[in-house]
Amino acid sequence: LSAIVMFNALGLNELEKVVQKSMTGVRKRLATQNMSVVLDSSGSKAILANSYDPNYGARPVERYLESTVVTTLSRMLISGELKNGSTVYISGVESDEDSYDDTNIPLQKKARLTYR
């Protein structure tokens, strides 16, 4: 090592920007089929609530988007729920389901995404 670089933790605004930037690939894929997606602030916060880890930062966000958002949108597309020219609005809503750590202690309420 030739240097030690200290980083400040990202704030909520920066993390939401990371989520929106990560959604760019999803938007591009949908645009090829003449569809669009709108992710509101509550949706960004729900994605962060389910994927952000202080130990890993925002790195898990991409994996979460692929495994959750892209999978859901793909299923909607295959089922015919999404049609040419559709716009999908993604929002976050609180869930009654708790999130647990390895010792089965509740950490926080999970947020879930809604698609309309």
Side-chain angles (χ1 to χ4, degrees):
L1 279 198
S2 61
I4 296 176
V5 179
M6 299 297 290
F7 292 97
N8 293 326
L10 296 173
L12 183 60
N13 288 338
E14 291 83 13
L15 290 169
E16 283 190 53
K17 288 177 185 175
V18 168
V19 171
Q20 291 292 345
K21 185 173 188 248
S22 297
M23 282 293 293
T24 302
V26 176
R27 286 186 179 99
K28 285 181 182 176
R29 284 193 260 176
L30 284 175
T32 63
Q33 301 200 22
N34 197 27
M35 297 177 197
S36 61
V37 64
V38 176
L39 175 66
D40 69 17
S41 181
S42 67
S44 293
K45 288 175 183 164
I47 289 168
L48 288 171
N50 291 310
S51 65
Y52 176 73
D53 181 338
N55 295 322
Y56 298 107
R59 290 180 199 98
V61 169
E62 289 279 345
R63 276 190 300 270
Y64 181 83
L65 287 175
E66 283 296 320
S67 67
T68 306
V69 175
V70 172
T71 299
T72 301
L73 293 173
S74 297
R75 288 181 178 150
M76 291 171 75
L77 188 61
I78 291 168
S79 72
E81 194 175 339
L82 289 181
K83 303 204 182 318
N84 197 351
S86 296
T87 299
V88 180
Y89 296 89
I90 303 175
S91 302
V93 293
E94 283 191 31
S95 172
D96 292 334
E97 189 178 318
D98 285 329
S99 174
Y100 293 90
D101 69 4
D102 293 338
T103 60
N104 212 25
I105 296 173
L107 295 173
Q108 65 182 18
K109 292 285 186 191
K110 280 190 176 179
R112 69 184 170 83
L113 298 172
T114 60
Y115 303 81
R116 55 180 174 82

